[in-house]
Amino acid sequence: MSFVAPPGYQPIYGPTIPYLGPIHGGLREGMSIYLQGSIPESITRFFINLLCGESESSDIALHFNPRFDGWDKVVFNSCQDGTWQSEEKIRSMPFQKGQVFEMVIIVTSQGYQISVNGNEFHTFQHRIPFERVRAMQIAGDVSIQTINVIGVSLPEHSGFQGMGGQPIYNPPVPYSNMIPGGMYPKRTIIIRGMVPYGAQRICINFMVSRSRDIAFHLNPRVREGIVVRNSMIGGTWGQEDRELLCHTCMSIRSGNQRFKVFVNGQHLFDFFHRLQSFNEIDLLEINGDVQISYIHF
């Protein structure tokens, strides 16, 4: 049976602007919203609203409104019962005309913590309980490539496990860190990144820390247009598997018999376990010419 990501983990790619879409299950503390997009040269303004319903007339818990009007600023606000409340104006502009951006909205107990391109920008204090948020609205002079709601709490009987904890944003590469709780059946790890022009070498390794065995070696070779998969057990490389290259947002799901790799929500390939006990895998390493936006265990 093929794996289909649950609604909260399935990124939305290339949405039409204006956009209005649900946030499945609403918001909870610790969740975050990841946006990747670009700003046109001719921009005047755009906005992102977190809505307390799935219609444009719903209360707005967060109104985020960058304005390029000669006095560049970002306006924050909320709207309740059809009435706008007091504006917060930040007279600083984290976006640049004609440039791509990455934006993260993190839900904390105090407010919405906004970061742009890896830099913390502003925290908008809650005026309306974040538990009421049910949808997102985006409109204006902006192009969005990806929307991803991270950290959705799923019911135990859903069959999707292992997506707990806080995402790691903009980690430095080379990256090496323990996998909290190790690998186990039905665990999914999402890696979002960008391969810069001219990239030559990238590798993602799922390893056993005590032996340094590489249970799953994932090696996109950009110039050749392929993805090589392999393992290295007892210091010896195994036989390579190869697939056509495809990258942007990758999710890797473990099962009893194999790793299943999905790219941009589509199943790309399987890699069958070569270690006798794959639950010994407890280390993730990423090296090479890649910029990682986030890792979510």
Side-chain angles (χ1 to χ4, degrees):
M1 183 178 69
S2 63
F3 166 67
V4 178
Y9 297 131
Q10 187 66 272
I12 297 166
Y13 297 105
T16 301
I17 303 299
Y19 167 83
L20 177 61
I23 296 175
H24 297 282
L27 292 181
R28 294 170 181 79
E29 184 178 350
M31 289 176 59
S32 54
I33 300 169
Y34 170 88
L35 299 156
Q36 185 182 49
S38 59
I39 303 294
E41 291 283 357
S42 58
I43 184 174
T44 56
R45 62 178 62 188
F46 73 94
F47 68 80
I48 299 170
N49 289 338
L50 297 183
L51 303 174
C52 298
E54 295 188 25
S55 71
E56 294 184 6
S57 60
S58 303
D59 287 349
I60 302 172
L62 169 66
H63 174 70
F64 175 84
N65 179 208
R67 300 178 184 178
F68 291 78
D69 54 8
W71 295 272
D72 294 356
K73 57 184 171 292
V74 178
V75 173
F76 290 82
N77 209 340
S78 57
C79 182
Q80 197 160 10
D81 299 325
T83 301
W84 286 102
Q85 299 173 328
S86 59
E87 290 185 342
E88 291 181 18
K89 295 180 181 179
I90 308 300
R91 299 192 180 277
S92 175
M93 180 56 67
F95 304 97
Q96 295 184 28
K97 293 182 179 181
Q99 299 294 314
V100 299
F101 69 87
E102 292 182 337
M103 175 177 167
V104 180
I105 304 171
I106 300 176
V107 183
T108 72
S109 58
Q110 291 77 34
Y112 299 102
Q113 181 180 311
I114 313 292
S115 296
V116 179
N117 295 331
N119 300 309
E120 189 170 332
F121 179 67
H122 180 65
T123 297
F124 180 74
Q125 302 292 322
H126 294 304
R127 299 175 180 177
I128 297 172
F130 59 78
E131 293 90 350
R132 290 185 54 199
V133 172
R134 288 293 177 270
M136 171 182 284
Q137 180 186 22
I138 305 174
D141 305 322
V142 68
S143 175
I144 299 295
Q145 280 73 57
T146 306
I147 303 171
N148 199 2
V149 180
I150 307 170
V152 177
S153 178
L154 296 170
E156 291 182 4
H157 57 76
S158 66
F160 296 99
Q161 304 161 13
M163 295 299 299
Q166 292 291 326
I168 301 167
Y169 290 105
N170 305 301
V173 176
Y175 171 86
S176 179
N177 214 336
M178 302 299 287
I179 299 170
M183 297 300 291
Y184 45 80
K186 298 184 179 180
R187 177 159 206 178
T188 300
I189 294 176
I190 295 176
I191 302 171
R192 171 90 202 191
M194 182 185 73
V195 179
Y197 180 78
Q200 297 185 34
R201 176 182 172 273
I202 305 161
C203 71
I204 300 171
N205 291 329
F206 287 82
M207 306 180 65
V208 178
S209 61
R210 63 176 179 80
S211 65
R212 301 298 295 177
D213 284 346
I214 301 175
F216 182 24
H217 170 74
L218 186 59
N219 175 213
R221 298 179 183 175
V222 180
R223 292 191 174 183
E224 298 176 51
I226 59 172
V227 178
V228 171
R229 295 99 69 195
N230 208 338
S231 61
M232 188 183 72
I233 301 173
T236 301
W237 285 103
Q239 181 178 348
E240 288 185 347
D241 295 338
R242 294 177 173 229
E243 195 77 32
L244 293 177
L245 177 63
C246 185
H247 56 79
T248 298
C249 182
M250 178 179 296
S251 61
I252 300 169
R253 181 173 169 85
S254 65
N256 286 316
Q257 297 179 322
R258 73 198 80 183
F259 288 97
K260 299 179 76 69
V261 177
F262 299 80
V263 175
N264 295 344
Q266 301 298 314
H267 178 245
L268 184 61
F269 57 75
D270 293 347
F271 182 80
F272 283 85
H273 296 307
R274 298 177 180 178
L275 279 177
Q276 289 186 345
S277 180
F278 76 91
N279 56 13
E280 294 183 41
I281 301 166
D282 59 359
L283 179 65
L284 174 65
E285 290 192 349
I286 303 174
N287 295 286
D289 306 319
V290 63
Q291 298 172 10
I292 301 299
S293 301
Y294 67 78
I295 302 169
H296 191 210
F297 294 107

